Amino acid sequence: MKDIRILFAGNPNVGKTTLFNSICGVHQHTGNYPGVTVEIKTGKRQINGHSIIVSDLPGTYSLSAFTPDEQVARDALLSSGPDVVIQIIDATNIERNLFLTTQLMEIGLPMVIALNMCDLADEQGMTIDADCLERNLKIPVVRIVARKGEGVEELIKTIIQVSTHKTPAVHRAVEYPHSVTSHISEIGNYLSAHASLLGSLSPHYAAIRLMEGDEHLEKMLHEKGCTIPFIDTTDPAERDGIAEDILLARYKISEEITTCSVQCSMGRVMPGDLIDQVLTHRLFGIPIFLSCMWFAFQLTFSASNPFIVGIEYIFGYFTELMNSVDMDPLIRSFLSDGVIGGVGSVLVFVPSIFVMFLLLSILEDTGYLARAAFVMDRLMHSVGLHGRSFIPFLIGFGCNVPAIMATRTLQSRADRIITIITIPFMSCAARLPVYVLFAGVFFGAAAGNVIFFLYVLGIVVAILSALIFRRLVFKDEPSPFIMELPPYRKPSGFAAAVHMWFKGREYLKRAGLVIFGGVIVVWALATLPAGVEYGSADSLVGIIGQVFQPVFAPLGFNWQLVVGLIFGFIAKEVVVGSLGTLYGGEEMLESSLAADPTLHPIIALAYMVFVLLYLPCVAALGVIRQEMGTWKWTGIAIGWGIFVAYVFAFIIVHVGSLFIGA
């Protein structure tokens, strides 16, 4: 069986991952805004005696590689030696997509154009002559609708045909001015004599990249002792002029090909344009976004509550069963207090997490979250953050780990560092069980409003932190924010349900491993030394909590709450698991918290705020270290989070006490 190695390339949000899922049967998340795919994802499918190996590259507008994820895409295209490159093009915006095509053609690899979203182009009154497009580019063009699976089998047949064609790929050449072509020839001839220094790059393509100002390639050649004609002897201003001529030539050919292959019906007003006038309004945009988030969290709490009650009943039944069976007291304590009490305290809030993932998936699929990033740009820019930073913030509502990785879409290192430091303030799904527990016990019918307040507070703290770091540490201006707004789409109930299930399943796996291990450690510490009352102040866990409790005394946290914070460093769900273990099990946790004389609504709110702000989990810290590349900034992120959490919790306790007289 012959292997056919394929690379999917294209602009952000053109449907690469959707097509990837359609071909390989792999359910990667397909968010409707740029920044979701920040690593290369690989899948495989066997068909007609061929093994098709597909790699989905991060979205990129060009091969200039201004951002880390664009560098990943460029390096894969230049060094992995694929059999075929599939460029997915948005049929509703062909001219903009063709700019990348002009760069891909010059690499010299076999290509196929997958013209995606043809149904949306038809709805917008666009008539696309795919044959004309194919003749002008000298590249096979296949019309597809990836989300419906239309044209995918035809695309696969074309891929197999192109991959088995032995002659070198010959695409249409970009017509540059004579002044440019003469320098390209001069540099290309020189590099031909030093081809061993270029690796897999052709001398002609390397010459074009140098003329465009590829600093990475230029630096590599200089480090190998290579003096490059024209590049090393020409004034930078003249080189900038040459690079601009190349840029204009690419735009010119893109415009020419689009003009002859696409016809548009004039005067048609699309419903999405009318909706955007409201949703992206400079005055109404932010209130609408906040209203959507408030509604989502209200629905999360109310819709999941019946399921929570059902799961509580099930765990209560098993607890009674454990107590009725004659067994060793230590084993009964392990099963009742450790397994059911600890893990059960976390799993009871799984419905809330599933509902939240479902709602966020629907908002993404409609294209609204991309508008939210656009709406927030003015505010983000005013405090020194890049508007694109809000996209990782939105991803962080699900999990901070992929959100931190999504900062690779930012060009400026300063923007990346500031965004990474502030992402942990986004309330991930792991914190939701803590909110649902304490808000439900101490705030009753207002629980949804409290949870909404916490999510908004996370955004506010992130923005204020960005302002502080920008003013005190990174004093350069953030780079401009340019973002393509995707078309509105009817959300797919099946796709949203699949996304909810896979995200929820990840959470359940973690509950079965990390959380289980964490609560069992807490149970063991609550049981030892032998002979002490379970979970008492004399147990090992009580001693640990009392050692650190004085630090948190100004916040009003008892030692049980402190233990939850300590073990919550493993994973935020362990906070609830630890409390469930210490307060006598899942069925007693809510009533025990309500009956604890050291707790009241102000302390509960301060505790939720501290959990929101103080530290990300171990996994998130590992990714922060990986992306920062240094322990210095990782340490700063840790210290800043703890400091901010303490300050806000302190303010809540002491200002709140003025109102309740405590």
Side-chain angles (χ1 to χ4, degrees), residues 45-64:
R45 175 175 175 178
Q46 296 179 357
I47 184 170
N48 297 335
H50 298 86
S51 179
I52 299 177
I53 302 171
V54 184
S55 296
D56 180 19
L57 303 182
T60 178
Y61 289 104
S62 76
L63 298 183
S64 299

Side-chain angles (χ1 to χ4, degrees), residues 20 61 217 300 306 310 551 604:
F20 179 84
Y61 289 104
L217 178 59
T300 295
V551 177

Side-chain angles (χ1 to χ4, degrees), residues 134-170:
E134 185 171 311
R135 288 194 305 270
N136 276 276
L137 293 172
K138 298 182 180 179
I139 299 173
V141 176
V142 180
R143 294 170 61 99
I144 66 170
V145 181
R147 63 190 179 93
K148 297 180 181 179
E150 297 177 5
V152 173
E153 294 303 320
E154 178 65 25
L155 177 64
I156 292 175
K157 292 179 183 178
T158 305
I159 290 170
I160 294 174
Q161 291 174 0
V162 172
S163 67
T164 55
H165 202 269
K166 300 301 181 182
T167 58
V170 180

Side-chain angles (χ1 to χ4, degrees), residues 401-430:
V401 172
I404 294 166
M405 297 174 66
T407 59
R408 297 174 186 176
T409 61
L410 302 177
Q411 296 182 17
S412 164
R413 173 168 170 77
D415 290 340
R416 292 191 68 218
I417 290 176
I418 294 174
T419 305
I420 289 173
I421 289 175
T422 53
I423 280 175
F425 297 134
M426 297 300 102
S427 190
C428 65

Side-chain angles (χ1 to χ4, degrees), residues 45-337:
R45 175 175 175 178
Q46 296 179 357
I47 184 170
N48 297 335
H50 298 86
S51 179
I52 299 177
I53 302 171
V54 184
S55 296
D56 180 19
L57 303 182
T60 178
Y61 289 104
S62 76
L63 298 183
S64 299
F66 292 111
T67 64
D69 63 313
E70 289 179 342
Q71 293 173 12
V72 170
R74 179 199 62 187
D75 293 345
L77 287 163
L78 298 181
S79 62
S80 62
D83 294 303
V84 186
V85 174
I86 311 301
Q87 185 191 359
I88 294 86
I89 285 182
D90 178 359
T92 66
N93 203 338
I94 290 178
E95 182 175 344
R96 190 254 301 141
N97 284 250
L98 287 179
F99 181 83
L100 177 62
T101 310
T102 63
Q103 295 181 307
L104 293 172
M105 290 190 301
E106 290 175 329
I107 298 178
L109 294 170
M111 287 183 62
V112 175
I113 298 294
L115 196 61
N116 194 22
M117 306 183 197
C118 290
D119 55 337
L120 297 180
D122 293 339
E123 291 176 7
Q124 295 179 20
M126 302 174 65
T127 303
I128 301 173
D129 188 341
D131 293 334
C132 177
L133 196 61
E134 185 171 311
R135 288 194 305 270
N136 276 276
L137 293 172
K138 298 182 180 179
I139 299 173
V141 176
V142 180
R143 294 170 61 99
I144 66 170
V145 181
R147 63 190 179 93
K148 297 180 181 179
E150 297 177 5
V152 173
E153 294 303 320
E154 178 65 25
L155 177 64
I156 292 175
K157 292 179 183 178
T158 305
I159 290 170
I160 294 174
Q161 291 174 0
V162 172
S163 67
T164 55
H165 202 269
K166 300 301 181 182
T167 58
V170 180
H171 309 307
R172 173 170 176 170
V174 180
E175 299 175 1
Y176 298 117
H178 175 72
S179 59
V180 175
T181 55
S182 62
H183 291 309
I184 291 176
S185 298
E186 177 188 0
I187 300 172
N189 292 335
Y190 173 80
L191 293 177
S192 296
H194 301 81
S196 60
L197 302 178
L198 299 176
S200 59
L201 290 182
S202 70
H204 178 75
Y205 179 71
I208 296 174
R209 293 300 306 134
L210 289 169
M211 294 291 291
E212 287 186 287
D214 190 326
E215 296 179 356
H216 175 76
L217 178 59
E218 186 177 339
K219 180 181 178 182
M220 182 192 75
L221 293 173
H222 284 156
E223 288 176 347
K224 295 180 179 180
C226 184
T227 302
I228 311 168
F230 180 76
I231 299 298
D232 293 339
T233 58
T234 306
D235 180 72
E238 184 178 349
R239 288 181 55 189
D240 290 343
I242 294 290
E244 184 177 348
D245 289 339
I246 293 176
L247 186 71
L248 293 175
R250 295 192 189 281
Y251 280 122
K252 181 180 179 181
I253 188 174
S254 300
E255 181 182 4
E256 289 177 354
I257 293 175
T258 303
T259 300
C260 72
S261 58
V262 180
Q263 293 183 350
C264 300
S265 300
M266 302 302 294
R268 177 176 293 192
V269 178
M270 300 304 296
D273 297 332
L274 299 177
I275 297 173
D276 275 340
Q277 291 182 12
V278 178
L279 295 186
T280 63
H281 193 275
R282 60 180 301 171
L283 296 180
F284 305 140
I286 292 181
I288 291 174
F289 168 66
L290 293 177
S291 299
C292 288
M293 299 305 292
W294 175 84
F295 176 77
F297 294 122
Q298 287 284 354
L299 190 58
T300 295
F301 192 81
S302 58
S304 62
N305 192 59
F307 298 98
I308 291 175
V309 172
I311 295 176
E312 285 178 337
Y313 175 80
I314 293 173
F315 279 108
Y317 170 79
F318 279 109
T319 300
E320 292 179 2
L321 184 63
M322 289 295 103
N323 293 332
S324 64
V325 175
D326 186 21
M327 64 177 68
D328 184 273
L330 186 63
I331 297 177
R332 178 183 289 112
S333 175
F334 172 76
L335 294 175
S336 178
D337 299 323

